Amino acid sequence: QVQLQESGPGLVRPSETLSLTCTVSDFSISSGYYWGWIRQPPGKGLEWIGSIYYSGFTYYSSSLKGRVTLSVDTSKNQFFLKLSPVTAADAAVYYCARSAYSGSYSFYKYWGQGTLVTVSS
Amino acid sequence: QSALTQPPSASGSPGQSVTISCTGSTSDVGGHDYVSWYQQHPGKAPKLMIYEVNKRPSGVPDRFSGSKSGNTASLTVSGLQAEDEADYYCSSYADSNNLLFGGGTKLAVL
């Protein structure tokens, strides 16, 4: 069973950089599949941020493109999210997830528990 | 690109069927068969219930089914059970390598 765990600062100051790590257990990132980030502002709906293939190929949300960078470290079995600069609108629960199958980043079967990020000075 | 449109709420009694709609455009729902549905209970991560319009991942009861007509996708839950009460989100691949979500529908089991 694939397990994912988000980690990173729970508080980020406006105009600074949000950095999160997703650590994957019981499955090797190098085995393939897409690895994604999805966020959910408190009380609101889901928003796709972007996805990265194990090889490092990336897809980004058109609404966040230019502020988002995804990367992967297969040796540590981790992938990463950087979002900069942040505003109050970026406050959300951030989820990392693995695609349902290796051929598409459109569906996510395995999810982390989510981590709440607050943006405040 | 705008989010997909879902009704904010839906409801049904135990044993009944309920259908939730998800309306997009020819750039997303209508133009691709990469539509999915997620169930989310309060404080929990979303769970994939349907992918590629009408396919169920292993472990998802066959009471959940998906379909699509034109620019609108639908999720039908048959034989409603108390544990089906949750938020449901649709998602679709969209042109220019984008992935869109709907605003979510809160399903109440009366």
Side-chain angles (χ1 to χ4, degrees):
Chain A
Q1 180 81 347
V2 183
Q3 297 190 63
L4 301 97
Q5 178 68 59
E6 306 89 351
S7 60
L11 177 64
V12 182
R13 299 185 193 284
S15 80
E16 295 191 345
T17 298
L18 181 160
S19 296
L20 295 177
T21 297
C22 184
T23 301
V24 180
S25 304
D26 300 325
F27 188 88
S28 172
I29 283 183
S30 299
S31 297
Y33 292 85
Y34 283 94
W35 304 89
W37 289 94
I38 298 98
R39 70 181 182 178
Q40 184 172 34
K44 297 189 178 180
L46 300 169
E47 179 184 20
W48 175 69
I49 299 170
S51 304
I52 186 166
Y53 198 55
Y54 78 100
S55 60
F57 196 82
T58 54
Y59 293 99
Y60 296 125
S61 164
S62 57
S63 62
L64 296 173
K65 209 166 188 176
R67 292 204 297 136
V68 178
T69 302
L70 302 189
S71 58
V72 61
D73 187 336
T74 55
S75 66
K76 294 183 178 180
N77 225 35
Q78 295 175 324
F79 62 105
F80 311 96
L81 164 68
K82 288 190 186 298
L83 179 66
S84 181
V86 299
T87 69
D90 295 312
V93 174
Y94 284 75
Y95 294 100
C96 61
R98 197 208 81 178
S99 64
Y101 59 86
S102 60
S104 172
Y105 61 88
S106 296
F107 325 107
Y108 293 90
K109 184 174 181 181
Y110 298 99
W111 293 66
Q113 64 186 31
T115 188
L116 177 63
V117 176
T118 301
V119 179
S120 175
S121 55
Chain B
Q1 285 170 297
S2 301
L4 307 174
T5 300
Q6 296 181 235
S9 64
S11 64
S13 300
Q16 288 186 333
S17 293
V18 64
T19 297
I20 299 170
S21 63
C22 171
T23 301
S25 68
T26 55
S27 298
D28 38 69
V29 175
H32 306 279
D33 284 336
Y34 286 152
V35 176
S36 59
W37 290 89
Y38 295 87
Q39 176 191 68
Q40 187 180 35
H41 288 107
K44 300 294 187 181
K47 175 184 178 183
L48 182 65
M49 304 301 283
I50 296 287
Y51 68 101
E52 290 182 354
V53 178
N54 56 15
K55 297 179 181 177
R56 277 187 310 276
S58 58
V60 173
D62 60 6
R63 302 185 294 104
F64 292 85
S65 62
S67 63
K68 188 182 85 166
S69 178
N71 296 337
T72 298
S74 299
L75 172 72
T76 297
V77 186
S78 305
L80 270 175
Q81 299 182 4
E83 59 262 35
D84 299 333
E85 185 161 294
D87 293 329
Y88 290 84
Y89 293 92
C90 64
S91 175
S92 174
Y93 173 83
D95 290 351
S96 303
N97 297 323
N98 217 352
L99 184 63
L100 301 178
F101 281 93
T105 297
K106 185 176 294 291
L107 174 61
V109 181
L110 305 174

